[in-house]
Amino acid sequence: MKFRNVKSLLSQVLEIADFTDNTNTTGYIDFDAPLPVGAIPLGWKATVSEGFAGDTTAVMQVGISGDLDKYSANTAQSVLAAGVVGSLALAADAVTGFSAAKTPRVTVTGGADFTSIVTAGGGSMVVELFYIDTK
């Protein structure tokens, strides 16, 4: 019998200056390392050390390019102020996990324009993505 291990992919510290501004309400940053082949994502936790202020709201979600909420059942987790937030994944990819490595993407959405969050200059968090390693 092979045991499955819950793992944690800890991203780099995500700073506002490293986000890509979509010139709309959103900005994003991709993890440096992908989730491995066979991973089954369970959820994520973000420890916000400095809030993403400068707008009336700032909420985050974790997913991938083309499916921004793939790992976020709750996309209304506020990162406007310092604190700890998180979400379970939407659904498991399958019992065997996915067949190709996937690069997680963190997206922050403001109420008006992400540029106002960038201009305020604040925003820092560490995001952990928890998954089962099936390999």
Side-chain angles (χ1 to χ4, degrees):
M1 172 183 227
K2 183 175 180 180
F3 291 97
R4 305 292 188 225
N5 296 309
V6 175
K7 302 283 185 169
S8 150
L9 175 64
L10 180 65
S11 81
Q12 68 279 4
V13 174
L14 305 180
E15 302 280 354
I16 189 65
D18 298 325
F19 275 70
T20 298
D21 187 343
N22 279 326
T23 65
N24 59 16
T25 59
T26 66
Y28 70 90
I29 189 169
D30 291 336
F31 280 30
D32 286 339
L35 283 167
V37 171
I40 300 175
L42 301 173
W44 56 267
K45 176 178 89 171
T47 303
V48 182
S49 56
E50 182 180 1
F52 289 70
D55 201 337
T56 58
T57 184
V59 295
M60 72 171 285
Q61 57 189 328
V62 179
I64 58 174
S65 176
D67 191 354
L68 300 181
D69 67 347
K70 186 169 184 67
Y71 312 129
S72 300
N74 185 338
T75 60
Q77 295 297 303
S78 179
V79 293
L80 187 64
V84 178
V85 296
S87 176
L88 295 173
L90 273 173
D93 274 278
V95 176
T96 58
F98 36 77
S99 60
K102 306 234 186 232
T103 301
R105 173 170 287 184
V106 174
T107 303
V108 173
T109 304
D113 189 345
F114 189 76
T115 303
S116 61
I117 296 171
V118 173
T119 303
S124 180
M125 65 178 144
V126 174
V127 178
E128 291 178 278
L129 185 56
F130 301 98
Y131 63 95
I132 297 172
D133 187 356
T134 64
K135 297 292 181 194

